[in-house]
Amino acid sequence: MGFLSLPAALFAAAIFIPLLVALYFLKLRRKRVAVSSTLLWKKAIQDMQVNAPFQRLRKSLLLLLQLLILLALLVAFARPTFDQSAKPGQRMVILIDRSASMNATDISPTRFAEAKRLALELVDGMASSGSSENGGAMVIAFGRRAQIVQPFTNDPSLLRNAINALQPSDESSHIEPALQLIRRDAAESVAASEQPLAVYILSDGRLSDLDKLKLAGADIRYTPIGGTAEAVHGVNNLGIVSLAARRDLKRPELVHVFARFANYTTSNVPIQVTLRVDDKVVRVSNTSVPALTAGGDSKVAAGEPGSQSMQFDFDLAGSALVEISHDHSDQLLADNVARLTVAPPKRLRVLMVSEGNRFLERAIRVQGVKSLRMMRPADFEAQNPSALRRGSWEGSTEVEGFDALVFDHYAPKEVPKVDSLYLGSVPPIPGLKLLPPRDSDPPTQHILSWEKDHPLLRYVALDDLVLADAGRLSLPDTAEVLAMVQSGPVMAEINADGVHHVVTAFNLIHTNWPMQVSFPVFISNVVPWLGLGGQIETGLSYQVGEVAIVPVPGGQRSVVYSGPLKLRASVSDSRAVLPIFERVGLYTAENPIEKPWDKLPVNLTDAAESDIRTVDKLDIGGKTVQGEAASTMARREVWPWFVWAALAVLVVEWIVYTRRMHV
């Protein structure tokens, strides 16, 4: 047991206890009055015989009761506590956030280090209550993914070792994967011990999926780490939240680089932005990013971040690594620099498999592709599948093959290993089917919703698109739905083994789309997106949490990349799938790898993680959970017990006093 205000309580005890006892040493001093006889005043005569300021202390039940009352109040004033991370028999889960925002340095050395320290305090609290009486504890680290770093155990040393071994990451923060790992344990805990699972969330609350934060059978306790919503003035971060590059359509040697900065402080921030190309400074510009604006809600710090966009133009004939950085000193380093690799100019080679569609053919040709080869379905099946893929990004290296395939109302027998567009057909990918219209479906349908922010549908308006006899798509779990009609999905994107497939459930000639402005806009999006491996922009870069699929020259069995972390991957079918990127930085291949895959830039560019304002409460299943201060996370104050005890003794003292007076 500990005391939060012990010195003040001892000081008060030194004053009030002697005063109370002194009252029982004093005697009453009565007023002198002349009387005619003392026959009826024998008691008064006895008092007068010993009429002195002080008397011998006698046994007194009232004194004892009053001392007990005073002691109880003094103990309550000392705010006694005891460490109890979980009740006897109750199981405990510690969730530690290891996302990018937890690397903020507003708490020394970092928020993540503070979370580990608090987790160790929880383990110590469990150990102090007796491991044999506890149901055990589990440790889970979460970011974009969740991992059980220590299963349930009563051994504090195993828990401490697991916590000390945790390393930070630059991933985004998602709580749902962590909750999925303990849903079964929460249900079993209630069934076995009739006690809810004690779940401690050590985080700054910057969770990307708060709407999914539900867990039945658990007592969730949240400890915010970092400045609270009311302390916005203590937050200091300015981050690069987006970076992109494109080559000019008319002058391919001209590169446009776009960057956007977000300011999470309460004042305007002047910055100096530096552009480097292959580590050489080519441009330095000054700008000012506006301050945080007023607004917001009660769950997060009020205000929207200030924003400033910049554009840099320069000539580049080949490939180069481009880096943008700013000079503002803030509390998060991961978003102060962003990089991308600008690919050399490339005019795409496209293969269109169709029985004939002049609308589609013309829409592809006007995109400025290097070549568009037309082929009938029967001729396509006679092709060698390994010869379909073009082998290099380098414009100086002409390799036969194609950058993108377009299938018009035809499905190939095998899944091609080239990024492809399917109009009114689907490839034979497991879980992917094109279902025919149902009798209950209307003969014509309109698009109800579409993903306007997806690169394929940027600036594409589908309000006036009319589909006749459209089917619907049955999709695998990994698919991303792009457009919906009343009967179901009609457009989706699937990434299968690193190859992008864009599928539609309608035949182009059974729609009015070729007559709409949105159709050539869609083709202008999809052709470069497919031809450049899912990149409309010229720049190649990755975000933390993504996976890179690297083409590897023949003869190599594995690849190794050095950078913030060492990455290793085996080679299969002339490709290597690297592990998920966990840290921001530049990863350089140690093997002979063709450009631009020899250098892989990984950026944060995540506005949610750059916003390091701490959330002070979480909405968990419709119930608001207020954040607990770190000092009270594992401590339980018991001063109210002593206040109630003092009141109870006070009642007893009053009864004794009144009975004595009555007698």
Side-chain angles (χ1 to χ4, degrees):
M1 177 178 287
F3 297 89
L4 299 181
S5 302
L6 184 60
L10 292 176
F11 181 75
I15 296 175
F16 292 107
I17 291 179
L19 286 177
L20 177 62
V21 175
L23 293 176
Y24 281 82
F25 279 99
L26 296 176
K27 289 178 57 179
L28 293 175
R29 182 179 297 275
R30 294 179 173 85
K31 183 178 179 180
R32 294 179 176 270
V33 178
V35 296
S36 58
S37 172
T38 60
L39 181 62
L40 302 176
W41 297 81
K42 294 182 179 181
K43 180 64 177 177
I45 294 174
Q46 295 175 3
D47 288 343
M48 291 178 62
Q49 292 173 352
V50 290
N51 191 13
F54 300 97
Q55 64 179 344
R56 180 181 299 176
L57 185 64
R58 302 173 183 176
K59 293 182 180 180
S60 174
L61 179 59
L62 287 177
L63 174 61
L64 178 61
L65 293 175
Q66 291 168 0
L67 283 174
L68 289 176
I69 294 172
L70 183 58
L71 288 174
L73 292 176
L74 290 172
V75 172
F77 182 64
R79 294 176 63 191
T81 65
F82 66 91
D83 294 332
Q84 182 187 32
S85 43
K87 299 176 182 178
Q90 185 180 27
R91 296 200 293 177
M92 179 175 67
V93 177
I94 306 174
L95 304 181
I96 302 177
D97 188 350
R98 60 190 293 263
S99 62
S101 60
M102 292 293 288
N103 294 315
T105 57
D106 55 335
I107 295 180
S108 181
T110 65
R111 294 178 179 180
F112 180 70
E114 176 69 6
K116 292 174 60 175
R117 185 187 69 80
L118 295 176
L120 292 173
E121 284 190 3
L122 283 171
V123 173
D124 293 340
M126 182 195 79
S128 65
S129 63
S131 60
S132 61
E133 300 178 0
N134 258 284
M138 171 193 288
V139 179
I140 296 177
F142 70 93
R144 185 166 183 169
R145 303 160 296 153
Q147 177 187 7
I148 298 177
V149 295
Q150 176 57 56
F152 278 109
T153 180
N154 281 319
D155 189 343
S157 63
L158 293 178
L159 295 169
R160 294 189 189 98
N161 292 339
I163 294 170
N164 288 324
L166 284 177
Q167 297 297 319
S169 80
D170 293 320
E171 297 180 0
S172 57
S173 183
H174 298 264
I175 191 67
E176 178 64 12
L179 298 185
Q180 288 286 5
L181 294 176
I182 59 175
R183 289 190 193 280
R184 185 174 180 179
D185 296 300
E188 292 178 351
S189 180
V190 174
S193 62
E194 297 184 353
Q195 294 192 68
L197 189 69
V199 179
Y200 288 87
I201 302 177
L202 309 181
S203 169
D204 55 15
R206 283 291 160 188
L207 308 176
S208 301
D209 51 356
L210 275 175
D211 57 323
K212 299 179 181 178
L213 192 54
K214 299 177 182 178
L215 185 63
D219 176 17
I220 299 182
R221 304 168 188 176
Y222 165 55
T223 298
I225 300 177
T228 63
E230 290 76 16
V232 181
H233 61 277
V235 172
N236 176 19
N237 190 46
L238 188 146
I240 303 173
V241 294
S242 68
L243 180 65
R246 284 192 177 188
R247 288 190 177 272
D248 192 89
L249 295 177
K250 297 181 179 180
R251 290 183 54 207
E253 70 277 7
L254 178 62
V255 177
H256 307 289
V257 175
F258 309 93
R260 185 166 65 89
F261 302 84
N263 180 15
Y264 299 92
T265 68
T266 55
S267 60
N268 296 345
V269 177
I271 58 172
Q272 185 178 83
V273 181
T274 303
L275 170 69
R276 292 180 174 85
V277 179
D278 283 340
D279 290 332
K280 296 180 181 179
V281 177
V282 298
R283 198 74 50 81
V284 176
S285 299
N286 295 316
T287 189
S288 179
V289 186
L292 200 71
T293 59
D297 55 40
S298 61
K299 296 179 184 177
V300 297
E304 292 296 325
S307 179
Q308 179 66 45
S309 298
M310 298 187 69
Q311 177 177 336
F312 297 91
D313 301 331
F314 57 93
D315 289 330
L316 181 65
S319 176
L321 178 68
V322 175
E323 178 184 295
I324 294 285
S325 62
H326 68 75
D327 64 343
H328 179 64
S329 178
D330 55 30
Q331 296 168 341
L332 186 64
L333 299 179
D335 58 3
N336 292 351
V337 179
R339 305 176 182 88
L340 55 77
T341 299
V342 176
K346 179 181 180 181
R347 297 182 63 191
L348 304 177
R349 297 168 62 94
V350 180
L351 172 64
M352 176 177 163
V353 183
S354 173
E355 294 290 353
N357 189 328
R358 294 187 62 83
F359 291 107
L360 181 58
E361 178 183 352
R362 186 173 182 179
I364 296 175
R365 289 192 185 279
V366 298
Q367 303 308 317
V369 298
K370 180 174 183 177
S371 68
L372 173 61
R373 183 177 175 184
M374 305 298 298
M375 187 178 293
R376 295 188 179 278
D379 298 329
F380 175 81
E381 296 299 340
Q383 297 291 310
N384 180 4
S386 62
L388 289 174
R389 185 176 182 86
R390 194 176 180 189
S392 177
W393 274 46
E394 288 294 335
S396 59
T397 306
E398 293 299 334
V399 179
E400 291 298 325
F402 301 97
D403 302 295
L405 308 180
V406 179
F407 295 93
D408 178 37
H409 198 52
Y410 167 73
K413 294 180 180 179
E414 295 183 5
V415 181
K417 295 184 178 180
V418 182
D419 293 354
S420 306
L421 169 66
Y422 306 82
L423 295 168
S425 61
V426 297
I429 296 175
L432 176 62
K433 293 181 181 180
L434 176 56
L435 304 177
R438 294 169 294 195
D439 295 337
S440 58
D441 293 338
T444 60
Q445 299 192 65
H446 294 267
I447 301 295
L448 298 180
S449 64
W450 67 94
E451 295 296 326
K452 300 178 179 65
D453 295 330
H454 194 281
L456 292 175
L457 298 179
R458 190 176 300 167
Y459 312 119
V460 177
L462 300 178
D463 307 78
D464 299 327
L465 178 57
V466 180
L467 311 178
D469 299 325
R472 66 188 190 280
L473 298 171
S474 176
L475 300 169
D477 294 337
T478 56
E480 181 178 1
V481 176
L482 301 180
M484 292 280 294
V485 297
Q486 180 180 343
S487 60
V490 292
M491 185 184 297
E493 187 266 326
I494 303 101
N495 189 327
D497 298 328
V499 180
H500 296 275
H501 303 272
V502 180
V503 297
T504 69
F506 51 86
N507 190 345
L508 191 61
I509 62 175
H510 292 164
T511 72
N512 66 339
W513 207 11
M515 310 305 295
Q516 302 289 326
V517 176
S518 61
F519 178 64
V521 176
F522 172 74
I523 296 298
S524 69
N525 286 342
V526 74
V527 170
W529 192 84
L530 294 173
L532 299 178
Q535 302 276 342
I536 286 183
E537 289 81 9
T538 303
L540 173 68
S541 64
Y542 298 89
Q543 279 189 299
V544 178
E546 293 184 338
V547 173
I549 301 175
V550 180
V552 181
Q556 300 188 54
R557 295 185 177 181
S558 64
V559 294
V560 178
Y561 280 81
S562 58
L565 298 174
K566 191 78 100 176
L567 302 179
R568 291 182 173 85
S570 57
V571 178
S572 176
D573 196 18
S574 299
R575 290 185 177 190
V577 181
L578 298 179
I580 291 177
F581 294 115
E582 293 187 0
R583 300 307 302 267
V584 165
L586 182 64
Y587 294 80
T588 304
E590 298 181 1
N591 307 60
I593 303 292
E594 64 179 6
K595 293 182 178 181
W597 312 105
D598 58 333
K599 294 181 179 180
L600 304 179
V602 179
N603 303 317
L604 182 60
T605 54
D606 187 336
E609 292 300 322
S610 291
D611 188 353
I612 61 173
R613 296 171 293 174
T614 301
V615 178
D616 57 354
K617 52 189 173 184
L618 302 178
D619 187 6
I620 305 175
K623 179 182 178 182
T624 299
V625 177
Q626 186 68 42
E628 299 182 29
S631 59
T632 62
M633 181 182 61
R635 292 175 178 174
R636 292 292 173 262
E637 295 192 32
V638 295
W639 62 265
W641 299 354
F642 290 92
V643 172
W644 286 110
L647 291 175
V649 177
L650 180 62
V651 172
V652 174
E653 192 265 352
W654 178 78
I655 294 173
V656 172
Y657 176 77
T658 54
R659 290 187 61 185
R660 179 172 296 183
M661 293 298 296
H662 179 73
V663 173

